[in-house]
Amino acid sequence: MPIDRVEPQYFGAGPALLPTDVLKQASADLINFNDIGLGIGEISHRSKDATKVIEDSKQHLKQLMSIPDDYEVFFIQGGGTTGFSSIASNMAAAYLGKTGEMAPGGYLVSGSWSEKAYEEAQRLHIPSKVLFNSKDFNENGKYQDIPEESLWEDKIKNSKFSYVYLCENETVHGIEWPSLPKCITERDDIELVADLSSDILSREIDVTKYGVIMAGAQKNIGLAGLTVYIIKKSILKNIEKATDEQLQEFGIPITPIASYYPTVVKNNSAYNTIPIFTLHVMDLVFKHLIAKGGVPAQQKENEKKAQLLYAALDSHSDFYNLPVAKRVRSNMNAVFTLKDSSLDEKFLKEAEAIKLIGLKGHRSVGGFRASIYNALSVQTVENLAKFISKFAEENA
Amino acid sequence: MPIDRVEPQYFGAGPALLPTDVLKQASADLINFNDIGLGIGEISHRSKDATKVIEDSKQHLKQLMSIPDDYEVFFIQGGGTTGFSSIASNMAAAYLGKTGEMAPGGYLVSGSWSEKAYEEAQRLHIPSKVLFNSKDFNENGKYQDIPEESLWEDKIKNSKFSYVYLCENETVHGIEWPSLPKCITERDDIELVADLSSDILSREIDVTKYGVIMAGAQKNIGLAGLTVYIIKKSILKNIEKATDEQLQEFGIPITPIASYYPTVVKNNSAYNTIPIFTLHVMDLVFKHLIAKGGVPAQQKENEKKAQLLYAALDSHSDFYNLPVAKRVRSNMNAVFTLKDSSLDEKFLKEAEAIKLIGLKGHRSVGGFRASIYNALSVQTVENLAKFISKFAEENA
C-alpha cells in the first residue's frame, strides 16, 4: 500500500493534525527503528535505544523552551485529566512538606478545562477554591472573557495558597490568557501551575514564572497517550518532605505511584512502562520544530494564521459572530457562529467540498471552531480565511 | 524509505514483538486511515471513526475471550502499575458499597509483579494482606514455585476479603499459575482480580471465574500505553454505591477520575482522550488472532513453543539450570541459567550472531530469559531450541 497523503486541511480540536513528515518517519520507525530490525514500539523501555528517546525528547524540549537547570522534565500517561488529579495531590503535598500547614489550591476558571481541574480537586477532597470564574463576569453566564486582574486580585491578597492553577488556552471556548497574571507571578510564595495542553510550543514563554507546566501531547506535540510535565526541582523536594501522617491529618490523598512526581523523576519517566512509540513521535515533532526555527518561528506563523482568520471573520461582522473578547481570543482555536444559524449546514458542506474539514464547534458551544495548531500551515489557514469571506459575501 | 523487515527473532520480555503484518497496517493507518485523508492518531476520540475503533476492539476481544454479557470491557492508560492503584481503591469501594463493611484485599504473591501490586495497596493505606508469598516456601528465599492450595487455603477459610488478587504470569521469574486456585474460585463471596498482562490471549480461560481482569497491552496485544479491563457489571454497581462518607470512615482514598471504573465505562473509555492509535493497533492484533483461528489455535502454538524450548533445556540439564518448578513453568517466559556462568557472554554473543536477540535475563534474576509471546513463531522458537542444544553440546 502506498503510504502518503495530500496535506490535510483539518481544523479538529484534538487529537489534532501532525506534520506529515513526522508521521512518515514514525510510520517507518514503527516497523524498523534505526535499522535495529525491530520497531520502536517493541523494545524494552529500559533499553539503550528507548533511554536515548527519553533523553533526546527531554533535551529537545529543554532547548525549545529554554528550560533552566532547576527544572525537571518528565512524562506520565493519562492526559490532562490524570494531571488534574495528580496536580492537586502532589501540590497539596508539596505545600504541606514545605510549610507543615495546609492552604487551598486557587483556581482561575476561564473555561471548561480549568473548571474540570477544579472539580477534580474538590472531588478528591483536596482543599481548593475558585478565585474567579469568568462566567460570573459575563451577563449571559458564558465563557467569553477573562476578567482583568484588578477585578479579582483582592481575592489572593494576604491569603495563602498551596498553588494557583490556570489553563492557558481553553479549547472549547477559544479563550487564551494573553499573558500571565502579575498578581500571581509576582508572589514568591505562590507556585503557578499551568495547563499548556493546547498551546505548548505555540509561543515563547518564560518557564521561570511557573512552578509546574502540564501539557497533554495530542494538540501541538504528538499523539494522545503522554503528558509532559515541567516542574521546579524545589517542588519535588517539598512533595517528598510531606509525611504520611501529615497527609492523613489534612485529608490529602496519597498519589497513585505512577503519578507521584518524585518517583517518576527518579526513574527518568520509566518507573512503569513508558509508551516509547508515543514519546518518539513527540521527539520527532520537537526535532521538526527545531529544524524550522524553533518557537520564535512557529509563533510568528501562528500569529499570522490567527490574524488571517480573525481578520476574515471581523471584516464580515454582520455575518459572523465572535463571542470571545478580542483581548483573550485564542491563537489556537477560533470560535465563531453564523448570525443566521440556518446556514450552518451549508457552511460545513461547502467547506468540506473544498476539503476544509473538522470545523464543527464543540457540542456544548455549537457553531464553528477552527483549531489552528502548530501543524496547520499558513496556506491552509489562508484557504479557510478566503472561504469564510467568500461564503459571507455569497450568503449575506 | 522502504518499510519492511526480516522477521525478528526477538525474545524481549516487553514491550514485545508484534506481528509484522499488524505493524505494516498500523504504519499505513498512521498516515491515512481508511482513506479519510488523516491518520488514525489525528482524529477526535469522539469521532465516528474513533468510536468504531473502540467498539470494534471491544467486540473482537469479547469474541476472542467469550466474554459474557454481564461483563464490561474498557481501556485505561497507565499500564499495570496504574492498575495496581486503581484496583485497590475501586475494589475496596466495591466491597464497601456492597456490604457497608470493610475487609482486606488478599494478595497471592508469586513474583515481583504481584508483590508490587500488594505494596501499592499498602502504600495507599488500603486494607490488604498477603495470603502467601511464594518466597517463604522456598529454602533459598527466591521465587521459584507457587505453593499448593493445601498449604495456604486455611488463610482464607472463614475470612472475608474485599477481593483476592493474583498475577497469572510473572514475567521476571518465569512463573505461571497452571490453573486458578479453587479455594478462591469456589467462594461466591470473593471477587478474583487477576493481572493477565503477560498471558492474555495466550490460552483459553473461563472469564466467569474472574471479577476483574486487568492486562497491559505491551506483551501479547499491542503497544505500551493502554490497559484492558474486563469487569463484572455487578462490581461496577457496587463501586458506585460506596458513599464519600463510607470511604472516609474506612480511609479508602477516592480514585482519580480517569481511573474510576464507573466513569470510564459510562463514557465508553473516552471520558478523557483515549490514545486511539494505540487502541487501533490492539484491534489489529485482535483481528490478526481471529484470522489465525482465535485463542485455541494460539494456545496450541504456544504449547508447542514452550515444549520445544523446555525440552531443549531439560535434555541438557547438566549444562542448563531451570530454577522454576515444572508445574508452574511459564509458557510465556522461560528463565534459565548456565551452570557455568563464565560462558554467559559467549552464549549471548553466539545467539546474537544468528539473530536470536533479547535473551538476557532480568537484572534482578540474571542468566537468561526467552519470552515467547504470541507474536513469536514456532519456527523462531525452534531456532532457539536448536541453538540451546548445540551450544550445550559444543561447550559441555
Side-chain angles (χ1 to χ4, degrees), chain A residues 68-121:
Chain A
D69 284 344
D70 54 336
Y71 282 75
E72 289 279 0
V73 174
F74 59 97
F75 310 96
I76 298 184
Q77 295 179 55
T81 304
T82 298
F84 300 160
S85 319
S86 73
I87 281 169
S89 58
N90 277 288
M91 292 308 289
Y95 190 79
L96 203 46
K98 185 182 174 187
T99 65
E101 293 169 7
M102 202 52 232
Y107 283 77
L108 308 179
V109 178
S110 59
S112 53
W113 290 110
S114 38
E115 193 173 33
K116 270 178 195 255
Y118 168 69
E119 285 167 359
E120 178 63 0

Side-chain angles (χ1 to χ4, degrees), chain A residues 5 15 18 27 42 125 244, chain B residues 5 15 18 27 42 78 125 244:
Chain A
R5 65 182 190 189
L18 291 172
S27 174
E42 296 169 296
H125 298 311
D244 269 20
Chain B
R5 67 182 189 187
L18 290 172
S27 173
E42 296 169 296
H125 299 311
D244 268 22

Side-chain angles (χ1 to χ4, degrees), chain A residues 89-153:
Chain A
S89 58
N90 277 288
M91 292 308 289
Y95 190 79
L96 203 46
K98 185 182 174 187
T99 65
E101 293 169 7
M102 202 52 232
Y107 283 77
L108 308 179
V109 178
S110 59
S112 53
W113 290 110
S114 38
E115 193 173 33
K116 270 178 195 255
Y118 168 69
E119 285 167 359
E120 178 63 0
Q122 286 280 304
R123 185 179 160 275
L124 296 173
H125 298 311
I126 293 169
S128 45
K129 66 183 195 189
V130 169
L131 295 177
F132 70 74
N133 186 319
S134 303
K135 282 202 276 198
D136 303 334
F137 292 82
N138 287 327
E139 278 174 27
N140 63 10
K142 290 183 178 172
Y143 287 117
Q144 296 178 343
D145 202 350
I146 297 175
E148 299 276 5
E149 269 177 79
S150 58
L151 297 172
W152 55 271
E153 62 188 355

Side-chain angles (χ1 to χ4, degrees), chain A residues 1 3-6 8 10 14-18 23-28 30-32 37-39 41-46 77-79 81-82 85 116 120 123-125 218 223-226 244 248 254-258 260 271-275 277-278 357 363, chain B residues 1 3-6 8 10 14-18 23-28 30-32 37-39 41-46 77-79 81-82 85 116 120 123-125 218 223-226 244 248 254-258 260 271-275 277-278 357 363:
Chain A
M1 62 208 93
I3 304 185
D4 207 350
R5 65 182 190 189
V6 176
Y10 177 65
L17 198 67
L18 291 172
L23 289 178
K24 282 185 184 171
Q25 184 64 51
S27 174
L30 192 60
I31 295 172
N32 192 350
L38 281 170
E42 296 169 296
I43 58 173
S44 164
H45 55 298
R46 296 213 176 85
Q77 295 179 55
T81 304
T82 298
S85 319
K116 270 178 195 255
E120 178 63 0
R123 185 179 160 275
L124 296 173
H125 298 311
Q218 69 267 22
L223 297 169
L226 271 177
D244 269 20
Q248 216 147 1
I254 295 172
T255 308
I257 187 82
Y260 181 65
Y271 175 77
N272 59 338
T273 311
I274 186 168
F277 174 73
T278 308
I357 55 174
R363 62 196 184 286
Chain B
M1 63 207 92
I3 304 185
D4 206 349
R5 67 182 189 187
V6 177
Y10 177 64
L17 198 67
L18 290 172
L23 289 178
K24 281 185 185 171
Q25 184 64 51
S27 173
L30 190 62
I31 295 172
N32 192 349
L38 281 170
E42 296 169 296
I43 59 173
S44 165
H45 55 298
R46 296 212 177 85
Q77 296 178 54
T81 303
T82 299
S85 319
K116 269 177 195 255
E120 178 63 0
R123 184 180 161 275
L124 296 173
H125 299 311
Q218 69 267 19
L223 296 169
L226 271 177
D244 268 22
Q248 216 148 1
I254 295 171
T255 309
I257 188 81
Y260 181 65
Y271 175 77
N272 59 337
T273 311
I274 185 169
F277 173 73
T278 308
I357 56 174
R363 61 196 185 287

